[in-house]
Amino acid sequence: MNRFIAIEPDRCIGCGTCSSACHEGHERAGLQAEPRIRVVQMGEVTAALTCHQCEDAPCLAVCPVGAIVHEDTYVHVLEQQCVGCRMCAVVCPFGAIHPSGTSVAGVAGTAYDTPVHAPTLSDLLTWDPGVYTCAVKCDLCSYDPAGPHCVSACPTKALRLVTEEAGSSLADAKRLRAADAEGSIAGFIAQAQAAEEKEAGGEVR
Amino acid sequence: MGNKFVVADPARCIGCKTCMAACLMKHDVAGDVADARLRVTQTYDVSAPVACHHCVDAPCAAACPTGALYEDPTHGRVAVREESCIGCRSCVMACPFGAVHVDVRSEAVRMGNLFVGTRSKAMVVKCDLCVDREGGPACIEACPTKGLTLMDDAGLERLAAARRESAVQA
Amino acid sequence: MCSIPGMENAGCVFLFGYNPSASHPIVARRIVRAKEKGAKIIVADPRHIETARIADLYLPIKNGCNIAFLNALANCIVNDGYADKDFIEAHTNGYEQWWETIKKYTPESVQDITGISPADMHRAAEMYATAEPSAIIGYGMGVCQQRQNLKTVHTLAAVACVAGQIGKPNSGLAPVRGQNNVQGSCDMGCLPNMFPGYQKVTDPAMREKFAKAWGVPVEKLSDHEGYKLTDMVHLANEGTLHCFYNYGEDPVQTEPDSQGTIEALKKLDLFICEDIFMTQTTMYADVILPGTSWGEHEGVFTASDRTFQHFNAAVPPKGECRHDWQIISDLSTRMGYPMHYDNTKQIWDEMRQLCPNFYGATYEKMEGTGHCEWPIPTLEHQGTADLFPGGHFNKPDGRAVLIAHDWEHPTEMPDEEYPLVLCTVREVGHYSCRSMTGNCKALSLLADEPGYVHMNPADARARGIRDGEIVRIWSRRGSVYSRADVSDRINKGAVYMTYQWWIGRCNSLTLHAVDDVSHTPEDKFSACQMERVADQQWAERHVAQEYADLKARLAKEASAQDVEPAVAFSASQEPDRILV
């Protein structure tokens, strides 16, 4: 089963260190530098969100060129094969995969300072000259034996890499707690039956 | 309220797992996954199957991004729509009872009769109250000590009433 | 023993090293009902078993303390004034001499051996001895598969007699048999010292009776006791045993010291197996005669409480499979003693004529869900739910003999090299050696190879073992891989394995030591050690491969019977399963 990075929202302080660490790590590795984890803030909740590495990933299902594949324990984008069609970004229910690309600004003197689109335009619709669009998503920092940078960078330890084992242990722990709690209802069937028999016997109050 | 759920009496449970065998066999049909939706769990003092509570404000349904888990008031349950499951495991993380999990099966992809490849199909495994089964939940029928009950609002009220009576007489 | 349904009506049910929820769920159900009806439940077991959860008194006895514990219990019953003096006076012999031994066994004097505080021993004595209307002691292999098997049974019988908890309805001892149909095979004389109906081969009158009934000269019938299954290994090694006819047993899997068993089988000149599936034992057979399974034949089973029940076939036999009684008749005829029956009723009726205790058990009485509990001496008799009514025992003077023994420690004690006690138990779900239920999808999905070794969290932690990991476990006899099941219901210092797992085969580790009279093996106590396998991925692949290899070997052996190319089951048709 795939591993994935999960957030504990009560610990998240919305600082964005995870996004920075992700950006920096990937840039240094020569991969797309767009952060693959982003902080989202709603009224009551702050949480850093990223890809769930779905077992039956819709992004993988929809990719027309097979650029998204199941790697060992995660879902992987083959950046060289991606044609930038953005269908994956459209279909992801978590908004965790997005189109990005490396700007050519600054390369061999090429520069442009005239914006070609409003910054508020959805990245599903933007297009910059000379930028080859590519789908970018969490890859569990698979290029780095030390593992996901966001997890180690988070100052409140709000992020965790959930493995199959850890997921199982968590589920086991929940069931054990539930079973323990259920200990307190022991004997309810006999009690209910006794009550029914009494009722059926038509006891006079 | 309206939702029903299967609940075990630990005083009767002998940890035999017949409920689990009955459940997985009931679901051992094409298009379904042969896996038990309830899990016999043992602490030092307690043995009981932990099953889905069909919560009225179900965290699993709330967490599901595709509607593969959804409220089904007609049957008083939280229901499953397998086609929509993408295997993101948000439900697994959300359930406080550890009563949901995800199976992944390898399915053949065909174009007509031509076998093209395989794909992973995620299946969320969660109690569906056997609404399509004559006689109701398979686990309840199978339990040799009659330790499982389908609890609904009426049952809860009767139990509460019996207890209030005991308390008053004490 | 008392009847199983009657257990619900006892005032106290005392389980001594017996775990009904794994071995006989139906009995566990009776105990749940007994509790709901107000019975006191006492559980004495090293593990906090299912029934311990609903027990009024749980006694966490140490492994191997049986006689020490029971003697101390008896000591308390007498010293605390709960002995039934009238019953002892009227129905027993040997009390004075019995007490000479028992008086030494104060609970304090054996506390190190039993692990039970004097306060709890006194509580147990009171709860058991004073229970109204009756008390039952349930026991099984926890008593029998130990060094002092027979002596422990004597001790239990004496406890029941001294407490006056025997010889009345729903009382006495409840020895629960391990398999279906072990009670029946004993009833029918598949014992080296008995004819059917517990009539001794050494009794000249019995030999005369059977010789006459079977139309053979009396010299043809053996006048001395034969050998027991656990003797087979010794006899084969000595060269005394040349041929072994193995009928529906898997000794390589189920007898202690598997490697020793295999070597013994290889020494035989002729090894014949009558079985329904290829097993690790039938693989060594020279000839295999295919029998029919429970669903394909009809006959009579005896339940643990002496109840005969007739069962019917659900489907006809397939291929060359024949009913066991037909195979035996055919073999017998070919060996010079013509034998022919048209149906099982003829066999049963012949047997009834010769067994006074079973005579009244007719097929008519067993029709449908009918049943007969022996002794049932006449056609009018309705069967006997409780033995020894009024305290009349099977001795010439009708009195029980009270026999006491001193405690001896088990044969192979733990030491530095092998610090853990290995005890064999059952797990609910699969059955016995798993040759049948291994083919059942639902049961295999719930539990599968390499099986489990149950251990306490402290022992696991000390070795870095986590729940669900593959471990290597070994003894002086051998080594196997199994899967750790860590639970605080298990007592520290002991590990428990079940004899249904082929890869995690506990009998590769157990000791071939036997009770000196019954020759029952000492499965419940031997010494072992275990460790975590460092490379867990390798371990998972290894055990899966071992299992696949074993199944392939069994299939290859079985393929000798195929005359057409076998249709192979394609693994790729089976959907992959991975669980979160």
Side-chain angles (χ1 to χ4, degrees), chain C residues 265-283:
Chain C
L265 289 176
K266 286 182 176 168
K267 295 202 167 91
L268 297 168
D269 295 329
L270 179 59
F271 181 31
I272 308 168
C273 284
E274 192 181 315
D275 213 322
I276 59 177
F277 285 107
M278 185 64 67
T279 68
Q280 297 166 83
T281 300
T282 52
M283 279 199 320

Side-chain angles (χ1 to χ4, degrees), chain C residues 35-147:
Chain C
K35 170 88 183 177
E36 283 182 3
K37 286 182 178 174
K40 295 278 190 225
I41 310 293
I42 306 174
V43 170
D45 203 296
R47 299 175 297 159
H48 196 247
I49 57 172
E50 287 296 338
T51 313
R53 301 188 299 107
I54 59 171
D56 294 280
L57 179 60
Y58 167 56
L59 303 163
I61 53 174
K62 290 186 176 179
N63 304 74
C65 75
N66 293 354
I67 284 186
F69 173 87
L70 291 170
N71 284 357
L73 182 70
N75 180 289
C76 290
I77 290 174
V78 173
N79 276 340
D80 297 349
Y82 302 126
D84 187 336
K85 299 200 173 75
D86 294 332
F87 190 93
I88 295 167
E89 176 90 29
H91 301 295
T92 72
N93 285 330
Y95 180 83
E96 299 304 329
Q97 190 168 17
W98 176 83
W99 181 243
E100 281 303 301
T101 304
I102 301 297
K103 73 182 184 197
K104 300 179 296 182
Y105 284 82
T106 61
E108 294 79 3
S109 68
V110 289
Q111 187 166 1
D112 279 340
I113 301 168
T114 64
I116 304 299
S117 69
D120 277 345
M121 286 301 297
H122 289 287
R123 268 190 78 200
E126 186 202 353
M127 203 177 274
Y128 168 70
T130 64
E132 291 289 338
S134 62
I136 295 171
I137 303 178
Y139 72 93
M141 297 306 107
V143 162
C144 300
Q145 286 173 345
Q146 300 258 18
R147 182 181 186 184

